């Protein structure tokens, strides 16, 4: 093997766009779907690249750049978050929009995938600047979005307030209130009850179903969670309500471990008070690598991409890995986890609770009738269990990984829609 080839294989392929293209191609083949499905899905149907000027607080004008990727309209309008981050790239936004297609498909939502991003560092912007960036981006992409075209939502470093400004800007442009143009809004502007907890709730529902399948008693089970933000901290609370002992968690500033189980409610208060889980009384510090390789039943990566690399995967000792985060496991690591008989609940299934309740928000906006939190949770439960069942039966019948099975279930739906439209 030539030296460059050795170097190339030694470095794991981490470009998310190439990863998802390859995963789609392989799943289309494994599912016996027409090759044209992979051909059509290898690129987004539409990508919008924009630049827009924003007046900063010091009076200067700065030009911001952003993107919106709309992967496929086979199943309906596109749907997916908007990310504000200094390292946003077009490839990343395209890949994330493709993952959204797969995520919507696995649950059976009437959407294709979308994703947007603005290259900026929100931590360096004042509230006023953040608002002007949010409004500027929406003015730049307004012609390409809408409740029946493409419906954005929050993603990394965007939140309900940003969604409120964006919805307001779009409504001013169109001259009428359009709450259904965007989800993840504050409740008063048409946000859905239960949305805040939805990702973690969906994740815990599929963990519960998977545990039943592999004969894991949750009352006796232990869990380690990487990331203690929206997804991780709420998953910790919901798991502990089911009797699971949460023995380790971390965040960007440190990790904590207690083999007897952490008091999750007290830990949430500690994080609120100090800004981190680190230093939680009665716990020992733990590094990220130690956390990911801790002997436990359930490991939940709920932080960033590419955390479980091949080297980490060799030492993971959990029975279930539930991907609350998007893309936390590299393709090489995935193969290793499977070889070690670890059940991986893939991101497109395990964190699909968020987009599912975003869908509920859109439905409620369109019908202008709002559900109770209990109704939202019941509907989420029904869709998550149904999705888990179809992925798990494909996994058993076809003898593939859970990730491949989830892709196959999802792509079969997209393919059926394409065929009915006469695209294939
Ligand atoms: P968040 O910003 O609320 O929390 C992220 C957490 O990760 C924080 O506690 C942060 O300190 C921690 N973190 C950052 N770097 C870390 C590191 N190197 N080691 C350990 N912890 C680290 O974000 P979130 O909404 O909880 O999202 C987490 C993941 O879940 C992301 O991959 C996101 O794409 C995915 N996700 C979230 C939702 C949702 O609805 N919130 C939906 C789908 C997927």
């Amino acid at each position: 093997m030539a030296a460059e080839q050795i170097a190339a294989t030694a470095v794991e392929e981490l470009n998310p766009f190439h990863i998802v293209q390859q995963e789609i191609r392989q799943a289309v083949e494994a599912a016996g779907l027409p090759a044209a499905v992979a051909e059509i899905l290898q690129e987004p149907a539409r990508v919008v690249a924009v630049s827009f000027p924003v007046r900063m607080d010091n009076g200067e004008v700065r030009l911001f750049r952003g993107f919106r990727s709309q992967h496929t309209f086979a199943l309906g309008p596109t749907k997916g978050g908007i990310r504000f981050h200094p390292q946003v790239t077009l490839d990343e936004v395209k890949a994330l929009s493709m993952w959204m297609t797969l995520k919507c498909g696995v649950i059976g939502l009437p959407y294709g995938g979308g994703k947007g991003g603005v290259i900026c560092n929100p931590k360096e912007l004042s509230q006023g600047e953040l608002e002007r960036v949010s409004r500027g981006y929406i003015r730049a992409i307004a012609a390409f979005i809408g409740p029946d075209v493409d419906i954005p939502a929050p993603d990394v470093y965007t939140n309900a307030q940003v969604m409120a400004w964006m919805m307001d800007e779009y409504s001013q442009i169109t001259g009428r209130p359009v709450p259904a143009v965007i989800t993840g809004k504050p409740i008063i502007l048409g946000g859905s009850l239960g949305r805040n907890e939805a990702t973690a709730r969906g994740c815990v529902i599929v963990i519960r179903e998977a545990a039943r399948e592999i004969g894991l008693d949750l009352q006796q089970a232990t869990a380690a969670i990487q990331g203690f933000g929206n997804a991780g901290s709420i998953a910790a609370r919901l798991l502990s309500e089911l009797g699971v002992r949460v023995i380790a968690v971390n965040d960007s500033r440190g990790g904590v471990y207690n083999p007897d189980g952490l008091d999750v409610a007290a830990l949430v208060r500690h994080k609120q008070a100090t800004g981190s889980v680190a230093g939680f009384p009665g716990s020992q510090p733990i590094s990220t690598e130690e956390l990911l390789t801790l002997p436990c039943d359930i490991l939940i990566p709920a932080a960033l991409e590419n955390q479980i690399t091949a080297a980490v995967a060799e030492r993971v000792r959990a029975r279930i890995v539930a991907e609350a985060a998007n893309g936390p496991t590299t393709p090489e690591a995935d193969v290793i986890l499977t070889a070690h008989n670890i059940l991986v609940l893939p991101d497109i299934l395990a964190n699909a609770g968020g987009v599912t309740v975003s869908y509920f928000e859109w439905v409620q906006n369109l019908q202008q009738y709002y559900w109770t939190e209990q109704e939202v949770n019941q509907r989420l439960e029904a869709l998550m269990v149904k999705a888990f069942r179809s992925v798990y039966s494909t996994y058993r019948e076809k003898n593939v990984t859970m990730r491949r099975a989830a892709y196959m279930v999802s792509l079969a739906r997209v393919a059926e829609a394409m065929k009915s439209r006469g695209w294939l």
Side-chain angles (χ1 to χ4, degrees), residues 116-133:
V118 176
I119 305 170
C120 67
N121 185 353
K123 290 181 181 170
E124 289 173 358
L125 299 175
S126 69
Q127 273 293 95
E129 289 168 344
L130 188 64
E131 175 174 352
R132 294 193 289 280
V133 169

Side-chain angles (χ1 to χ4, degrees), residues 83 103 115 154-157 195-196 198-200 226-233 250-254 271 275 288 301-305 307 324-327 351-355:
R83 167 172 298 207
K103 208 178 283 190
K115 205 80 179 191
D155 192 71
V156 175
Y157 293 147
R195 173 63 188 87
N196 193 38
T199 300
Q226 183 199 23
F228 205 66
N230 173 279
S233 69
N250 75 353
D251 59 28
S252 59
R253 286 162 54 182
K271 170 134 186 158
T288 296
L304 309 168
E305 306 89 67
Q307 296 300 296
N326 283 314
N351 70 32
V355 69

